[in-house]
Amino acid sequence: MTSRERILGRVRRALADVPRDDMPYEQAVSRDYARKHGDRSVSETVELLAENLADYRAIVHRTEAEGLAGLIAGLLEKRGSASVLVPPGLDEGWLAATGVTRVADRAESTPDELDRVDSVVTACAVAIAETGTIVLDGSPDQGRRRITLVPDHHICVVRVPGQVVSSVPQGLERLDPARPLTWISGPSATSDIELDRVEGVHGPRTLEVILVGGA
């Protein structure tokens, strides 16, 4: 018997006398909480997102669709990136203005190989204004979770206003809980008991978010 089988056996024995409840989870849990705080216009929601992203030390850029490729090329050049990791479904036009070596998102890539990549560019699933959070769900234009956790520099493109919501409850409505969700609020950081902040421990040291208007 494996450890997994022993643990599951203990769970079954502990639940043996618990009556079965077939009520759907959506009905069993009350959903009468506030879905957002206050009434904001679309532009006010986007401004709140930008403000909270910056508060978490993400670097926020704004552009229209026609300027996106040039902006990404400029950010990679400024960073001095010689390689960029590209999810399989990323819009090819986003990298059309840069000659930086592209690295494919491959299942067999090792952590060492990913660590040698200078930057990664992805889209996102949704952005939440009240918490300054972007959420990735592993879709083709976002790639595997690890490609945004190992490289030190992440450029994430958010389509505005289509992908921006006010609150976490509104964001959850757009997400599939069965997908591998990664919630990002600023660059990776941690603090010790002395409150000394260290960035880049659990993910990229630098997060740049591009808000693309008209999408």
Side-chain angles (χ1 to χ4, degrees):
M1 181 179 292
T2 65
S3 297
R4 179 177 181 273
E5 291 170 336
R6 284 196 294 271
I7 292 172
L8 291 176
R10 292 171 186 170
V11 172
R12 294 188 189 98
R13 290 192 295 274
L15 297 176
D17 59 348
V18 177
R20 181 178 295 276
D21 186 353
D22 293 327
M23 179 179 290
Y25 178 78
E26 292 76 11
Q27 299 177 20
V29 179
S30 174
R31 303 288 182 181
D32 57 356
Y33 46 75
R35 295 182 65 254
K36 62 178 181 177
H37 302 91
D39 294 320
R40 304 183 192 89
S41 66
V42 172
S43 61
E44 288 173 335
T45 301
V46 173
E47 289 301 319
L48 180 62
L49 171 65
E51 178 183 335
N52 284 333
L53 283 168
D55 190 51
Y56 277 121
R57 302 193 186 185
I59 304 170
V60 181
H61 308 275
R62 299 175 190 248
T63 186
E64 297 300 317
E66 58 271 18
L68 179 58
L71 177 56
I72 291 177
L75 296 179
L76 293 174
E77 181 179 5
K78 182 178 180 180
R79 177 80 179 182
S81 298
S83 58
V84 58
L85 213 161
V86 183
L90 194 75
D91 188 329
E92 293 183 0
W94 291 6
L95 295 174
T98 180
V100 172
T101 300
R102 304 183 190 187
V103 178
D105 173 14
R106 302 181 302 117
E108 59 270 25
S109 295
T110 66
D112 286 340
E113 290 173 337
L114 293 176
D115 193 43
R116 288 195 292 269
V117 175
D118 294 318
S119 301
V120 57
V121 177
T122 74
C124 78
V126 69
I128 302 172
E130 290 183 355
T131 58
T133 302
I134 56 176
V135 186
L136 312 182
D137 67 359
S139 292
D141 59 0
Q142 297 154 56
R144 303 170 194 272
R145 174 181 287 160
R146 63 182 183 167
I147 73 170
T148 59
L149 296 178
V150 180
D152 204 42
H153 178 223
H154 180 194
I155 298 174
C156 184
V157 177
V158 179
R159 298 176 176 89
V160 175
Q163 291 188 310
V164 181
V165 298
S166 287
S167 66
V168 171
Q170 291 176 326
L172 287 171
E173 292 172 357
R174 297 195 181 194
L175 298 169
D176 180 355
R179 296 194 63 82
L181 303 178
T182 304
W183 297 63
I184 304 171
S185 298
S188 166
T190 188
S191 298
D192 61 17
I193 197 170
E194 301 293 337
L195 299 183
D196 290 327
R197 180 182 172 98
V198 178
E199 296 181 347
V201 177
H202 311 296
R205 197 186 320 268
T206 303
L207 171 65
E208 303 202 57
V209 179
I210 302 177
L211 305 180
V212 182

